Amino acid sequence: MYLFGYGSLINIISAQKSFKRKLLQTDLLPVKIKGYKKVWNSIEDIEFEERVNGIFLNLEKNDAVDTYGVVIKISDEELEILKIREKNYSCITIDASKVLNVKLDSNVIAFMTTKTNKIAKIGHENSYIASKYIDIIESSFDSYDEVFIKDYEKCLSDLPFEVKDGTYKFSDPSQNKFAKQGLNK
């Protein structure tokens, strides 16, 4: 099975934190998925100096568009670990035929926020996009081609929430461990 990563998982350093095996950049295969777009609306409880609503990238179904990300071949055990890291997201299946630029031998798993209480609306109070999260995404750009980068630059412009500088952590300790420290710490 494959995992579709479209946020911090496009960054090899960030992705590595959720895997026991050593990932190579070639394990993160750039793909174009039909029928989804990246949106800034997934709420996670995070802490800077105080607890806030951290706003992260999410997927939204939209048959009129395509979006870029990466697929990583994963095992059942790795999926269970990723479910801890992505605990507030629902695990969805994307048909392999929706992958437009690569032929895969199985469907794709993705994490998408579907719970209405975890989806931010414009004007949602005490809600911020962490600049460090944007840095994680942008620091991976050297590994991808121009078309891939332009797709991400579109979703990184005209952000719908204020960007907050500083170091943050996830309020949930197990989620924070997987996202920040990783499995091997």
Side-chain angles (χ1 to χ4, degrees):
M1 100 184 78
Y2 294 89
L3 169 71
F4 178 60
Y6 56 90
S8 59
L9 290 172
I10 71 166
N11 182 302
I12 186 76
I13 295 167
S14 181
Q16 182 63 65
K17 293 176 182 178
S18 294
F19 289 85
K20 291 178 184 175
R21 66 182 157 108
K22 173 79 171 143
L23 291 178
L24 304 173
Q25 187 63 48
T26 54
D27 292 321
L28 280 63
L29 184 63
V31 294
K32 182 179 184 180
I33 302 275
K34 175 82 178 144
Y36 291 88
K37 71 176 186 174
K38 292 184 284 290
V39 294
W40 289 98
N41 72 0
S42 181
I43 298 172
E44 293 283 346
D45 292 330
I46 63 172
E47 298 173 14
F48 284 90
E49 310 80 50
E50 72 284 342
R51 186 174 281 199
V52 300
N53 294 315
I55 306 299
F56 294 86
L57 280 176
N58 192 18
L59 287 178
E60 183 176 272
K61 281 189 134 188
N62 183 331
D63 291 333
V65 298
D66 316 324
T67 198
Y68 284 84
V70 298
V71 290
I72 305 167
K73 190 139 181 111
I74 61 170
S75 67
D76 291 336
E77 178 187 355
E78 289 168 335
L79 176 60
E80 293 308 310
I81 292 167
L82 286 157
K83 285 179 180 178
I84 297 169
R85 174 182 174 144
E86 310 293 345
K87 72 181 217 85
N88 287 322
Y89 290 83
S90 299
C91 192
I92 65 162
T93 301
I94 299 172
D95 191 273
S97 66
K98 299 278 189 182
V99 179
L100 301 179
N101 61 327
V102 176
K103 182 147 178 63
L104 300 178
D105 58 6
S106 67
N107 290 334
V108 177
I109 301 298
F111 291 100
M112 178 174 146
T113 299
T114 58
K115 297 174 187 165
T116 55
N117 68 326
K118 287 293 189 178
I119 295 179
K121 305 279 189 260
I122 303 298
H124 202 118
E125 290 185 22
N126 199 32
S127 298
Y128 303 92
I129 298 170
S131 64
K132 296 274 188 195
Y133 180 69
I134 293 171
D135 291 346
I136 290 168
I137 293 168
E138 289 180 330
S139 67
S140 72
F141 286 175
D142 287 346
S143 302
Y144 300 106
D145 68 22
E146 188 176 323
V147 174
F148 186 96
I149 295 166
K150 283 185 188 245
D151 181 71
Y152 273 87
E153 286 174 340
K154 281 189 291 188
C155 81
L156 293 172
S157 64
D158 297 324
L159 296 169
F161 295 90
E162 184 180 336
V163 175
K164 188 168 181 68
D165 292 327
T167 302
Y168 70 92
K169 67 179 185 174
F170 290 94
S171 298
D172 178 272
S174 61
Q175 185 182 21
N176 194 62
K177 178 188 182 302
F178 282 101
K180 301 292 183 172
Q181 299 169 328
L183 289 173
N184 302 317
K185 300 277 181 186

